[in-house]
Amino acid sequence: MKIYSFPRGGLSYDDPAAPSKSPVVNAYLPAISVIPLGNKARPAYPVVSIGESVREGQLIGRASGAGSANVHSTVPGRIIRRVSWKDRDGVDNDAFVIRMEGAFERLGRRDEVLLWNGLSGYDLQRIISDYGIVEMEGGEMPLADMISASRRDNEKLTLVIRCIFDDPWLAADYVLCEERFKAVIEGAAIVAKSCFKVSQIVFAVSHKEKELGEKLLAEAGRLEIPSSLVLTGSRYPQRNKRELELALRIYEKKEGISLGPLLVLGPAVLAAAYDAVIHKKPMLDRYVAVGGSAVKKPQIMKVRIGTRISEVIEQCGGFIEPPERVVTGSPLSGKEVMYLDEPVGKSCYAIVAMAKSQASIYKEQNCINCGECRAVCPMGLDPQNIYKRIRMQEIENAGTTGCHGCGCCKIVCPSALPLLETILERNQEDRSA
C-alpha cells in the first residue's frame, strides 16, 4: 500500500473531546433563525424587507459580485429584524432574523428529481450559482466562481475530492461521506461536466480511511470519467492545499502520470451541488461536529443554517461548566466565537466549547526556546523567531515569511504563545497597508 505525504513537518493530532464518527443526529428546527447575509468583504444584497413573510428556500439575499453568493431562507417565517455584529477579527457581519411560522415546502416531502445529463456545463454552473453553493470550509468561495476560474486554464485538469481526516474535528465530513457517498460521487460528476476540462477524478483519502476510499472509488466506477484513489498520510496539515498538492505531485512523478492543474473540493460542497442540481434545493443545512470538554454529549448533528450556536449546544445536553472558549471549526485554525447567539453558517463544520482545563492549553506563558515549533512547521520556518521579531517590530513585511496558517506551531508550543495569530494578524496588516 503506497502512501503519499508532504516531506517535512506536521504532527499527529488527536483530541479526546471531539465527537465520535457516529451516525448523524437531526437537530431541532430553530424557532428563531439568524441567516447570515455575508460579511463586509462578500455581502449579499437583501431582496426582502423587515416584516415580510418568506418561504423555506426563498431567496433573501442576492450575490453582489465575485466572491459573493446568493442567500436563502432556511425556514418559513417572518423577518423580524436585521442585525449586525463584529466578529473576533473585527469583521462586520450582517444577518436577517427570521421567526419560524407557516408550512415547510420541503421538509418531510419527497424531493423532485431533475435529470441533469442533458444540461450543458453552463446550465449546471448557473444552477449552482442560483442556489448559493459555496466551498463549505474557510472563506466560503462560491463554487460557481471556482468553476469559472478552472476554465481559464487551457490544460486538462484533475478534480480532487479531498477526504483527508487529519483533524478529529472533521468527523462531520467523514460521516457525510459514509452516509451520502452516492450524492458526493454524482456531485463530482456534475462539477466535472460544468468545468468542461476535467480529464480525471482523484480521491485523496487518508490511508487510515482506506475502506472509505475504496467505497467511493467503486461508486465512481459508473461514471464516464476515469477515477483513481490516492492514499495520503494522516499527519496534520495533510489536507491543506499546499501539503495536499505536494503529496499529489509526488504521486504524479512516481506513477508516471500527468494530473495537470488541480481543482480541490471537499465532500460537503459536492453533496450540496448534487442537492442543488438534482433536487433544486439551496444550502439549507449542514453536518456539524459538536463537542469540546465543556459539552455534555458531543455528537454529529445535521443543523439548519442560521441556528444559533447556543441552541445547538443545548441539544447536546448543554454545558458541563461555563466554557472558557468557543470556536467554530478546528481549535487549530477555527474562528473564536464572541457571542453564543452567533449562527451556524455555511462553512461551520465544527463547534468546539472548551472548559477551563482544555482552554488552559492556550494560556500564554514565556517562551522556553524548545524548538518544537520549528520541528513541525511544514514550511520549514522558525515561528518562534518570526513571532519575537514581530513583537519587537523588527520585521517590515511578515507576509514574506510564507506562513499559510496551518497552526502546527500553535498546538505543540508548551508556552501557548499566540504564534499563529500574531503572524497571521501581521500578514493581514501588511496586505491592508
Side-chain angles (χ1 to χ4, degrees), residues 106-286:
R106 294 183 176 275
L107 187 67
R109 301 185 183 185
R110 184 185 295 274
D111 287 323
E112 58 181 315
V113 177
L114 174 68
L115 300 178
W116 62 273
N117 289 315
L119 298 177
S120 70
Y122 290 113
D123 289 333
L124 295 173
Q125 182 184 8
R126 177 184 54 78
I127 294 171
I128 288 169
S129 176
D130 287 347
Y131 287 110
I133 308 306
V134 301
E135 176 56 71
M136 296 171 73
E137 299 172 26
E140 297 187 6
M141 173 65 70
L143 179 56
D145 289 2
M146 299 175 74
I147 291 169
S148 293
S150 73
R151 293 183 184 147
R152 298 188 192 116
D153 204 308
N154 292 324
E155 297 180 66
K156 292 288 187 180
L157 60 86
T158 297
L159 174 60
V160 179
I161 302 177
R162 180 177 56 191
C163 300
I164 299 172
F165 307 104
D166 54 0
D167 184 332
W169 291 99
L170 293 163
D173 271 6
Y174 177 88
V175 173
L176 182 143
C177 277
E178 285 281 9
E179 296 187 354
R180 303 202 64 201
F181 69 95
K182 291 185 178 180
V184 171
I185 298 303
E186 192 152 0
I190 289 168
V191 170
K193 184 173 182 179
S194 65
C195 291
F196 296 139
K197 298 177 182 178
V198 172
S199 61
Q200 59 186 312
I201 296 175
V202 167
F203 295 91
V205 182
S206 313
H207 69 94
K208 293 180 180 179
E209 282 76 39
K210 180 182 177 183
E211 290 185 8
L212 173 62
E214 291 174 341
K215 181 178 179 180
L216 292 168
L217 185 62
E219 180 65 21
R222 63 184 181 82
L223 303 180
E224 297 178 359
I225 305 174
S227 303
S228 57
L229 173 64
V230 176
L231 296 177
T232 72
S234 56
R235 283 181 300 149
Y236 180 86
Q238 180 61 78
R239 72 192 314 273
N240 275 25
K241 183 178 179 180
R242 173 186 175 273
E243 280 65 42
L244 176 56
E245 181 159 358
L246 282 173
L248 291 175
R249 296 307 178 191
I250 294 171
Y251 163 79
E252 180 182 45
K253 183 177 180 179
K254 289 190 175 181
E255 298 298 324
I257 61 174
S258 176
L259 297 178
L262 308 177
L263 174 60
V264 181
L265 296 173
V269 68
L270 293 173
Y274 167 88
D275 288 336
V277 172
I278 303 297
H279 300 308
K280 299 182 180 179
K281 186 169 77 172
M283 297 178 70
L284 300 179
D285 46 44
R286 70 155 304 154

Side-chain angles (χ1 to χ4, degrees), residues 29-34 80-81 97-100 306-308 311:
L29 293 170
I32 299 292
S33 295
V34 182
I80 58 176
R81 69 176 65 94
V97 179
I98 300 177
R99 183 175 60 224
M100 185 172 63
T307 305
R308 291 171 292 179
E311 290 189 54

Side-chain angles (χ1 to χ4, degrees), residues 58-112:
Q58 179 180 331
L59 181 72
I60 60 173
R62 191 177 302 280
S64 58
S68 179
N70 286 345
V71 177
H72 301 78
S73 176
T74 58
V75 295
R78 187 175 300 277
I79 298 174
I80 58 176
R81 69 176 65 94
R82 188 171 170 181
V83 296
S84 298
W85 72 94
K86 287 185 181 292
D87 62 23
R88 181 66 68 178
D89 299 324
V91 176
D92 291 314
N93 291 267
D94 202 9
F96 275 130
V97 179
I98 300 177
R99 183 175 60 224
M100 185 172 63
E101 56 185 52
F104 283 81
E105 297 184 2
R106 294 183 176 275
L107 187 67
R109 301 185 183 185
R110 184 185 295 274
D111 287 323
E112 58 181 315

Side-chain angles (χ1 to χ4, degrees), residues 383-396 401 426:
Q384 166 204 333
N385 183 49
I386 297 170
Y387 167 78
K388 288 182 177 179
R389 291 175 63 194
I390 291 174
R391 284 292 179 91
M392 297 175 68
Q393 298 184 345
E394 292 180 357
I395 291 183
E396 292 184 2
T401 61
R426 181 56 184 272

